[in-house]
mmCIF file of all heavy atoms in Angstrom:
data_model
loop_
_atom_site.group_PDB
_atom_site.id
_atom_site.type_symbol
_atom_site.label_atom_id
_atom_site.label_comp_id
_atom_site.label_asym_id
_atom_site.label_seq_id
_atom_site.Cartn_x
_atom_site.Cartn_y
_atom_site.Cartn_z
ATOM 1 N N GLN C 89 46.206 169.523 -51.938
ATOM 2 C CA GLN C 89 45.585 170.759 -52.363
ATOM 3 C C GLN C 89 46.176 171.297 -53.688
ATOM 4 O O GLN C 89 45.465 171.748 -54.548
ATOM 5 C CB GLN C 89 45.729 171.839 -51.281
ATOM 6 C CG GLN C 89 44.784 171.584 -50.094
ATOM 7 C CD GLN C 89 45.216 172.441 -48.883
ATOM 8 O OE1 GLN C 89 46.355 172.901 -48.801
ATOM 9 N NE2 GLN C 89 44.342 172.543 -47.944
ATOM 10 N N ALA C 90 47.470 171.206 -53.776
ATOM 11 C CA ALA C 90 48.109 171.617 -55.037
ATOM 12 C C ALA C 90 47.708 170.804 -56.187
ATOM 13 O O ALA C 90 47.391 171.354 -57.293
ATOM 14 C CB ALA C 90 49.667 171.542 -54.829
ATOM 15 N N TRP C 91 47.611 169.496 -55.993
ATOM 16 C CA TRP C 91 47.158 168.594 -57.077
ATOM 17 C C TRP C 91 45.758 168.901 -57.501
ATOM 18 O O TRP C 91 45.446 168.989 -58.651
ATOM 19 C CB TRP C 91 47.295 167.184 -56.565
ATOM 20 C CG TRP C 91 46.809 166.112 -57.453
ATOM 21 C CD1 TRP C 91 45.636 165.446 -57.431
ATOM 22 C CD2 TRP C 91 47.597 165.551 -58.537
ATOM 23 N NE1 TRP C 91 45.598 164.545 -58.427
ATOM 24 C CE2 TRP C 91 46.760 164.585 -59.151
ATOM 25 C CE3 TRP C 91 48.803 165.788 -59.130
ATOM 26 C CZ2 TRP C 91 47.144 163.835 -60.249
ATOM 27 C CZ3 TRP C 91 49.197 165.055 -60.194
ATOM 28 C CH2 TRP C 91 48.409 164.116 -60.769
ATOM 29 N N GLU C 92 44.898 169.148 -56.479
ATOM 30 C CA GLU C 92 43.500 169.457 -56.754
ATOM 31 C C GLU C 92 43.373 170.735 -57.597
ATOM 32 O O GLU C 92 42.640 170.740 -58.576
ATOM 33 C CB GLU C 92 42.791 169.703 -55.386
ATOM 34 C CG GLU C 92 41.374 170.175 -55.434
ATOM 35 C CD GLU C 92 40.425 169.026 -55.427
ATOM 36 O OE1 GLU C 92 40.731 167.997 -54.827
ATOM 37 O OE2 GLU C 92 39.369 169.154 -56.041
ATOM 38 N N LYS C 93 44.144 171.793 -57.198
ATOM 39 C CA LYS C 93 44.100 173.013 -57.955
ATOM 40 C C LYS C 93 44.531 172.798 -59.424
ATOM 41 O O LYS C 93 43.910 173.260 -60.363
ATOM 42 C CB LYS C 93 45.087 174.019 -57.335
ATOM 43 C CG LYS C 93 44.421 175.261 -56.791
ATOM 44 C CD LYS C 93 45.518 176.254 -56.341
ATOM 45 C CE LYS C 93 45.157 176.848 -55.048
ATOM 46 N NZ LYS C 93 46.241 177.693 -54.541
ATOM 47 N N SER C 94 45.618 172.025 -59.623
ATOM 48 C CA SER C 94 46.130 171.938 -60.983
ATOM 49 C C SER C 94 45.212 170.996 -61.815
ATOM 50 O O SER C 94 45.074 171.280 -63.009
ATOM 51 C CB SER C 94 47.546 171.463 -61.004
ATOM 52 O OG SER C 94 47.701 170.315 -60.233
ATOM 53 N N ILE C 95 44.648 169.944 -61.207
ATOM 54 C CA ILE C 95 43.747 169.155 -62.047
ATOM 55 C C ILE C 95 42.465 169.916 -62.408
ATOM 56 O O ILE C 95 41.931 169.739 -63.476
ATOM 57 C CB ILE C 95 43.398 167.721 -61.459
ATOM 58 C CG1 ILE C 95 42.784 167.864 -60.094
ATOM 59 C CG2 ILE C 95 44.555 166.859 -61.485
ATOM 60 C CD1 ILE C 95 42.240 166.529 -59.620
ATOM 61 N N ASN C 96 42.000 170.757 -61.478
ATOM 62 C CA ASN C 96 40.857 171.576 -61.835
ATOM 63 C C ASN C 96 41.185 172.519 -62.967
ATOM 64 O O ASN C 96 40.292 172.707 -63.875
ATOM 65 C CB ASN C 96 40.358 172.356 -60.558
ATOM 66 C CG ASN C 96 39.522 171.499 -59.668
ATOM 67 O OD1 ASN C 96 38.975 170.486 -60.096
ATOM 68 N ND2 ASN C 96 39.515 171.819 -58.404
ATOM 69 N N GLY C 97 42.365 173.110 -62.894
ATOM 70 C CA GLY C 97 42.733 173.982 -64.016
ATOM 71 C C GLY C 97 42.877 173.262 -65.364
ATOM 72 O O GLY C 97 42.493 173.731 -66.376
ATOM 73 N N TYR C 98 43.340 172.002 -65.235
ATOM 74 C CA TYR C 98 43.542 171.215 -66.491
ATOM 75 C C TYR C 98 42.215 170.781 -67.026
ATOM 76 O O TYR C 98 41.941 170.807 -68.282
ATOM 77 C CB TYR C 98 44.418 170.037 -66.164
ATOM 78 C CG TYR C 98 44.568 169.064 -67.311
ATOM 79 C CD1 TYR C 98 45.362 169.435 -68.406
ATOM 80 C CD2 TYR C 98 44.001 167.840 -67.342
ATOM 81 C CE1 TYR C 98 45.526 168.596 -69.474
ATOM 82 C CE2 TYR C 98 44.144 166.964 -68.408
ATOM 83 C CZ TYR C 98 44.902 167.367 -69.455
ATOM 84 O OH TYR C 98 45.089 166.518 -70.471
ATOM 85 N N TYR C 99 41.327 170.399 -66.112
ATOM 86 C CA TYR C 99 40.037 169.849 -66.484
ATOM 87 C C TYR C 99 39.176 170.849 -67.333
ATOM 88 O O TYR C 99 38.500 170.447 -68.265
ATOM 89 C CB TYR C 99 39.210 169.465 -65.209
ATOM 90 C CG TYR C 99 37.848 168.994 -65.444
ATOM 91 C CD1 TYR C 99 37.605 167.772 -66.050
ATOM 92 C CD2 TYR C 99 36.777 169.756 -64.972
ATOM 93 C CE1 TYR C 99 36.345 167.341 -66.236
ATOM 94 C CE2 TYR C 99 35.451 169.301 -65.138
ATOM 95 C CZ TYR C 99 35.313 168.086 -65.822
ATOM 96 O OH TYR C 99 33.987 167.617 -65.992
ATOM 97 N N ARG C 100 39.343 172.154 -67.002
ATOM 98 C CA ARG C 100 38.548 173.132 -67.730
ATOM 99 C C ARG C 100 38.871 173.204 -69.216
ATOM 100 O O ARG C 100 38.040 173.455 -70.041
ATOM 101 C CB ARG C 100 38.718 174.534 -67.075
ATOM 102 C CG ARG C 100 37.500 175.071 -66.522
ATOM 103 C CD ARG C 100 37.734 176.307 -65.725
ATOM 104 N NE ARG C 100 38.140 176.045 -64.395
ATOM 105 C CZ ARG C 100 39.157 176.664 -63.728
ATOM 106 N NH1 ARG C 100 39.881 177.629 -64.375
ATOM 107 N NH2 ARG C 100 39.519 176.322 -62.513
ATOM 108 N N GLU C 101 40.144 172.960 -69.586
ATOM 109 C CA GLU C 101 40.574 173.070 -70.983
ATOM 110 C C GLU C 101 40.682 171.690 -71.662
ATOM 111 O O GLU C 101 40.996 171.631 -72.821
ATOM 112 C CB GLU C 101 41.959 173.727 -71.070
ATOM 113 C CG GLU C 101 42.011 175.064 -70.411
ATOM 114 C CD GLU C 101 43.407 175.492 -70.161
ATOM 115 O OE1 GLU C 101 44.327 174.892 -70.808
ATOM 116 O OE2 GLU C 101 43.623 176.349 -69.314
ATOM 117 N N SER C 102 40.384 170.638 -70.950
ATOM 118 C CA SER C 102 40.539 169.322 -71.583
ATOM 119 C C SER C 102 39.251 168.757 -71.986
ATOM 120 O O SER C 102 38.160 169.299 -71.760
ATOM 121 C CB SER C 102 41.233 168.368 -70.588
ATOM 122 O OG SER C 102 40.285 168.041 -69.579
#
Side-chain angles (χ1 to χ4, degrees):
Chain C
Q89 286 164 343
W91 179 259
E92 175 92 30
K93 240 187 227 176
S94 51
I95 57 172
N96 280 337
Y98 177 70
Y99 175 69
R100 242 172 278 138
E101 303 163 19
S102 71

